[in-house]
Amino acid sequence: MSTSAHAWSTRPETSADTATIHAVNSAAFETPAEADLVDALRADTGAWIEGLSVVTESADGTLVGHALFTRCHVDGHPALALAPCAVLPEYQGAGAGSAAIRAGLESARAMGENLVLVLGHADYYPRFGFTPASGFGVRAPFEVPDEAMMALSLDPSRESPRGTIQYPAAFGI
């Protein structure tokens, strides 16, 4: 599908979206692990941030994509983890995921957040401004290729924490 064929709209999730978000994540990944992760993070009051679970809708209102930003820490300082990002298979490659991520980043910036971390495809996330986290002095708590652990500062005038990422318990890390 071409991006020009779709007018994506984004919004924060509502309680009515829970089952559909689970279905989108289940369809987008080989196992239900990401869908279950979203549910576990939603139940974690220390990780969940209202307004940073963003859905993408097609022109007819069908929920086709989802991006989740939750609280993590870097050596005790607050940061955000972007995970997961999911799009129904038939809409992948058409900009639905990008729309959700961009909306989530704007919401996070408006909330005064700064450092956002993502473990993902080195050819996808740089389009949003992500660069290797090692350049920020940030490292994952496990072995990962440098180009896959990325960070973005939403306000480069602010100092970003340095150190090891502490993920919410739901990540199982």
Side-chain angles (χ1 to χ4, degrees):
M1 298 191 156
S2 68
T3 51
S4 60
H6 293 284
W8 303 119
S9 60
T10 59
R11 61 174 175 76
E13 79 163 55
T14 67
S15 57
D17 298 322
T18 303
T20 307
I21 289 170
H22 189 92
V24 166
N25 278 274
S26 292
F29 295 100
E30 292 181 14
T31 72
E34 282 80 5
D36 294 342
L37 174 61
V38 172
D39 293 340
L41 288 166
R42 191 180 287 113
D44 182 345
T45 58
W48 190 259
I49 302 171
E50 202 62 44
L52 292 185
S53 177
V54 180
V55 298
T56 304
E57 294 178 329
S58 64
D60 69 1
T62 302
L63 197 156
V64 301
H66 176 244
L68 180 61
F69 298 80
T70 54
R71 175 69 62 221
C72 68
H73 292 85
V74 174
D75 278 0
H77 300 279
L80 294 176
L82 165 53
C85 178
V87 175
L88 288 174
E90 61 269 30
Y91 292 94
Q92 289 176 4
S98 292
I101 291 169
R102 285 193 178 94
L105 291 171
E106 284 306 310
S107 293
R109 184 178 285 114
M111 292 177 179
E113 296 290 341
N114 187 22
L115 188 64
V116 183
L117 304 161
V118 66
L119 175 60
H121 297 285
D123 57 347
Y124 182 73
Y125 291 97
R127 72 184 68 180
F128 307 104
F130 285 93
T131 58
S134 60
F136 288 81
V138 173
R139 63 194 165 279
F142 45 81
E143 285 297 316
V144 61
D146 189 56
E147 67 275 7
M149 188 75 247
M150 292 170 271
L152 170 66
S153 174
L154 297 174
D155 181 358
S157 71
R158 289 171 51 197
E159 190 173 331
S160 293
R162 303 170 72 82
T164 304
I165 304 164
Q166 293 99 34
Y167 287 96
F171 281 91
I173 300 167

